[in-house]
Amino acid sequence: MRVRAGPGPVLAVSAAIYVGAILLSGQAQYLLPENLVSVLGRAVALGLTAVGQTLAILVASIDLSVAALISASAVLASVVMDGDPAMVVPGVLAVLALGAVVGLVNGLLVAKARVNPLIATLGMALVIQGGLSAVVSNFAGAVPPAFQLLDQGSLLGVPAGLVLLLAVAAAASLMLNLTRFGSDVFAAGGNPEAARLAGIRTGRTVVGAHVLCSLCAALAGLYLAARLGSGAPWIGRDGVYDLESIAVAVIGGTVLAGGRGGVWGTLAGVAVFAMIDSLFNILGVDAFAKQVFRGVIIVAAVAAYAAGTRRLVA
Amino acid sequence: MTLAAPRPFAARLRGVNPVWAVLLLLLLAILLLNPAFAEPQGFMNFLRRAAPLCLLAAGQVFVLTSGGFDLSQGAVVTFTVVGASMLLDNDEGATGWVILVLLAAGAGVGAVNGLVVSVLRVPSLIATLGTMIALGGVVMTWSGGAPRGYLTDGFRAFGRFMWRDVPVVGLLPAALLVLVAGGALLWWLLHATTYGRLLHAVGDNPEAARLAGVPVARVRVIAFVASALSAVVAGVLLGGFSGVSLDVGTGAELQAITAAVLGGTLLLGGRGLVGGAVGGALTLSALFTLLNLLGLPQPVREVAQGLILILAVAFAVRRRGT
C-alpha cells in the first residue's frame, strides 16, 4: 500500500517560493518574525473555521453553513454584549449555545435523516443567513474594549488570536489522536459500514463532529466580532469561509471522502493561503489576478495529492 | 425495457414525478392571490423569467448524474452577461458572432472542468470551485471591476422579446422557445441516446463502468460541457431582462442543484431526470413568485429555499427507503 504524502511537501514548496520571491524582490524586511506573525494573524478566523471543517470532512461529511454561522455568531455576540463588559460571559455563552444547536441540527439531518451533507448544511446556511438578514441589515451592537483583547492582546509576544487558534488546533489534534471519540471519527469516516459492524455508533460520531465544527465556526465569529468591534450579517459571506475552509483542509491533505487527514495539515493549508495573500500584496499583484491564481492553486494542490492514485473521483 | 402493459390508473398516478403536483398546488395558490396570473401576460412572463433556471437545472443534471457537482455554472452566467457587454461594444451586427464566441468559451470552461476531474482526479466539488473563483477573477479583470457596457437590443431579444397575438396562447416569449429547444435537446441526450445510458452507468459505479469498457473520461467531459453550455444559454436569456453586473449569476448553481434535486435527480450519481429538473426549476420559481405576492422580503425567501431543499432531499431518502 502506498503511503500517502503529508502536507509537508506542499508547505515546504510554498515557503520556499515565498522566501525566494521576497528575497528576489529585495524586500527582506517582510521576513522578520513580527511580519510573519502578522501574516498568520490575519488568518486566525479561517484557521478556526478550518479546524472544525476538518472534523466534519474526516467523518465523510462537509459543512457549508459555517460562513452564515460566523456572521450570526458575530452579530449575536455584539448585540448581547452591547458594549457592556459585564455581558461578555453571557455573550460568549449565547454564541457557543447557538453553535452547538446549529451543529446538532446539521449532525442529526446528516446522520439520522440521512440528508446529503452538502444539501443539509447548504439549506442550514440559507436558513441562518435569511433569518439573520431579516433581523439586522448592518453592523449591530458593539463589543466592549475588554473583549477586543481577543484580537489586540498578546501572550508572550504572540497575538491572542493566534494563541486561540493554536490552542483549539492542539485540543482538536489531541482529541483525534488520543481519545476514543477521535479514533471513532477516523473509523466512521473511513468505512462507515465496517465501523458500524465493529460496534461504533457512527451516527453519534457524525453528530459530535458536526457540533464541534459549528462550535469552531462560532469561535471564529467571536474572534471577528472582537477584531471588527461589532458584528455585521455579511462578514462570514465576505470571507468566503465556507469554501475556503474546505479548500485549506483539502490542501492540507484531508481527503474529501473522509477517514484520512488531520488538523495540523489544515493549519499548513491555512499558512499556504496566508503566504499567498501576503506575497501577492508585497509584489503588488492586482486583486483580480490574485483571485485567478487562488482558484488555480486550490485545484493544483489537490491535483498534486491525487497524482499517482488510480482511484476514480467524481 | 419490458413491454409496457397497460397499468391501472392509480399506479400510473404514482409513477408521476411528485414535483408536478407540488408545482400545480403552488400555481393554484398564486392564481388565488392574483387572478391576473391566468392571463397570457402573467403566465408567459412567469415562464420567461423561469426559463434561465430551467436550462441551468437541466444542464446541472448531467454533472449530477455523473456523480459530481458543477459549482461553476453561476460564474459562467456572469461571464456570459459581462463578456457579452464587453464584446458587443454597442455593435448591433456583432450579436451573432458574440453568442458563438461565448458558447465556445463556455464549452472550453466545461472541458477544463471535465479534464481536471477525470485526468487530474480532482473531486468536482474542488475543481469547479476553483473554476468558479478563477472565472470570477477573469471577469473582474476583463471588466476592470465595474462593467459599464450595454447589451444590444438584438442580444436582449432572446430573453425579452414576445410575439403578440399568437393563436391559442396569445403571447409567446422567445425565451420559451429557447427553453423548449434546449430542454428537448438535453432530454434527448440523457434519456434517448447511448451516451445517456453510459452517463448513468458512470454515475452509478465508475469503477464498474471503466472495467466494462466505458470511456469514463470522455463521458464525464461531455457532461461538464453540457452543463457549461446550458449556463451560457441561460446567461444570454438573463441578459435580456437583467442589468449587466458582476453578481448576475451569483448563487445560480445552488438554485440549479436545488431544482434538479426537487425534480428527483439523485446526488452522487446514477439517476438524472431532465424533465424533473425543469419541473423543479418551475416549482422553485413559482415558490419565489408566491412568497413575493405574499409580500415576504428576500431573507424569508432564502429561509424558504433552505427548508425546501432539506425537506425535498429528506423526502427523497424516505421514498427510496435507504
Side-chain angles (χ1 to χ4, degrees):
Chain A
M1 205 175 116
R2 179 175 165 275
V3 176
R4 203 184 146 76
V10 171
L11 188 59
V13 170
S14 333
I17 293 175
Y18 185 64
V19 172
I22 288 179
L23 289 179
L24 281 179
S25 69
Q27 305 187 67
Q29 73 272 20
Y30 284 107
L31 293 175
L32 292 173
E34 56 262 39
N35 274 314
L36 291 178
V37 164
S38 88
V39 165
L40 291 175
R42 257 173 269 145
V44 167
L46 176 60
L48 287 169
T49 316
V51 167
Q53 188 71 261
T54 305
L55 297 177
I57 298 177
L58 279 177
V59 295
S61 188
I62 204 160
D63 191 347
L64 291 180
S65 68
V66 286
L69 179 56
I70 286 173
S71 300
S73 301
V75 169
L76 184 62
S78 86
V79 168
V80 171
M81 292 181 196
D82 206 18
D84 180 0
M87 292 301 284
V88 165
V89 173
V92 170
L93 289 179
V95 166
L96 292 180
L98 173 70
V101 168
V102 169
L104 189 65
V105 175
N106 278 341
L108 289 174
L109 283 173
V110 172
K112 302 293 177 202
R114 313 203 65 70
V115 176
N116 179 293
L118 217 57
I119 297 294
T121 58
L122 173 63
M124 175 60 87
L126 289 167
V127 170
I128 297 175
Q129 191 67 49
L132 183 63
S133 309
V135 183
V136 287
S137 55
N138 207 330
F139 280 99
V143 300
F147 188 69
Q148 295 193 338
L149 287 178
L150 185 58
D151 176 53
Q152 290 157 7
S154 66
L155 192 73
L156 302 173
V158 183
L162 212 49
V163 174
L164 175 67
L165 172 57
L166 291 175
V168 168
S173 170
L174 288 176
M175 185 206 69
L176 280 178
N177 294 315
L178 299 181
T179 68
R180 169 74 187 276
F181 177 74
S183 62
D184 286 357
V185 163
F186 286 107
N191 189 340
E193 202 47 51
R196 207 173 358 255
L197 291 175
I200 294 171
R201 309 187 71 158
T202 51
R204 283 189 184 186
T205 312
V206 171
V207 173
H210 266 289
V211 169
L212 291 173
C213 173
S214 295
L215 284 174
C216 285
L219 279 180
L222 283 173
Y223 171 78
L224 283 176
R227 186 179 179 85
L228 302 172
S230 177
W234 57 77
I235 57 175
R237 203 174 38 201
D238 274 10
V240 207
Y241 290 108
D242 39 8
L243 300 178
E244 296 222 328
S245 64
I246 296 167
V248 293
V250 171
I251 287 174
T254 297
V255 184
L256 271 182
R260 281 174 296 165
V263 168
W264 297 116
T266 299
L267 284 199
V270 174
V272 170
F273 260 38
M275 283 192 283
I276 295 170
D277 271 353
S278 156
L279 192 61
F280 285 152
N281 282 339
I282 294 170
L283 300 181
V285 177
D286 169 78
F288 305 147
K290 187 161 90 179
Q291 207 184 333
V292 179
F293 277 117
R294 195 172 250 235
V296 172
I297 286 165
I298 292 172
V299 172
V302 178
Y305 281 113
T309 61
R310 300 208 23 88
R311 214 165 54 86
L312 294 173
V313 298
Chain B
M1 278 280 182
T2 50
L3 278 176
R7 288 184 295 164
F9 180 69
R12 241 181 314 172
L13 203 60
R14 243 176 284 139
V16 172
N17 194 328
V19 75
W20 298 111
V22 178
L23 176 62
L24 200 65
L25 281 178
L26 285 169
L27 291 179
L28 285 175
I30 294 174
L31 206 56
L32 229 73
L33 286 168
N34 175 21
F37 187 74
E39 311 202 351
Q41 186 74 35
F43 191 65
M44 286 300 167
N45 249 325
F46 167 75
L47 287 178
R48 187 176 66 114
R49 300 224 155 227
L53 182 56
C54 293
L55 282 167
L56 282 168
Q60 181 75 244
V61 162
F62 279 72
V63 176
L64 292 177
T65 306
S66 80
F69 296 90
D70 186 356
L71 298 185
S72 66
Q73 270 190 327
V76 172
V77 168
T78 306
F79 171 84
T80 303
V81 174
V82 175
S85 81
M86 305 294 293
L87 289 174
L88 283 168
D89 204 22
N90 287 330
D91 177 7
E92 196 65 67
T95 306
W97 69 259
V98 164
I99 289 179
L100 287 181
V101 166
L102 290 170
L103 283 171
V109 170
V112 168
N113 281 338
L115 289 172
V116 168
V117 170
S118 42
V119 177
L120 296 181
R121 290 167 203 277
V122 175
S124 61
L125 203 64
I126 297 289
T128 57
L129 168 65
T131 309
M132 168 180 136
I133 296 174
L135 202 54
V138 168
V139 172
M140 284 202 281
T141 314
W142 192 11
S143 66
R148 66 217 125 51
Y150 300 94
L151 294 170
T152 57
D153 287 338
F155 186 90
R156 294 183 85 112
F158 289 98
R160 188 182 266 177
F161 185 75
M162 291 219 205
W163 282 284
R164 300 189 179 276
D165 300 322
V166 180
V168 189
V169 287
L171 287 172
L172 185 61
L176 188 58
L177 286 191
V178 175
L179 169 61
V180 169
L185 184 66
L186 290 171
W187 185 91
W188 173 77
L189 193 56
L190 190 65
H191 298 296
T193 64
T194 311
Y195 170 76
R197 240 169 287 147
L198 295 183
L199 184 64
H200 276 91
V202 166
D204 198 37
N205 187 337
E207 202 52 52
R210 188 180 65 85
L211 292 173
V214 176
V216 175
R218 201 187 320 153
V219 168
R220 280 229 171 98
V221 170
I222 293 174
F224 279 99
V225 170
S227 175
L229 284 178
S230 77
V232 173
V233 178
V236 171
L237 294 186
L238 264 176
F241 45 82
S242 76
V244 178
S245 81
L246 284 177
D247 54 25
V248 53
T250 307
E253 66 282 348
L254 298 181
Q255 290 193 359
I257 294 172
T258 309
V261 168
L262 278 177
T265 293
L266 290 186
L267 292 175
L268 306 181
R271 188 177 85 163
L273 298 169
V274 168
V278 172
L282 291 174
T283 303
L284 207 55
S285 307
L287 180 78
F288 290 156
T289 307
L290 183 64
L291 294 176
N292 228 353
L293 274 177
L294 290 171
L296 296 175
Q298 171 69 26
V300 181
R301 290 172 34 165
E302 263 182 54
V303 174
Q305 193 194 343
L307 291 176
I308 284 166
L309 188 55
I310 295 174
L311 288 176
V313 176
F315 178 69
V317 172
R318 288 254 170 283
R319 256 167 76 96
R320 255 183 303 150
T322 47

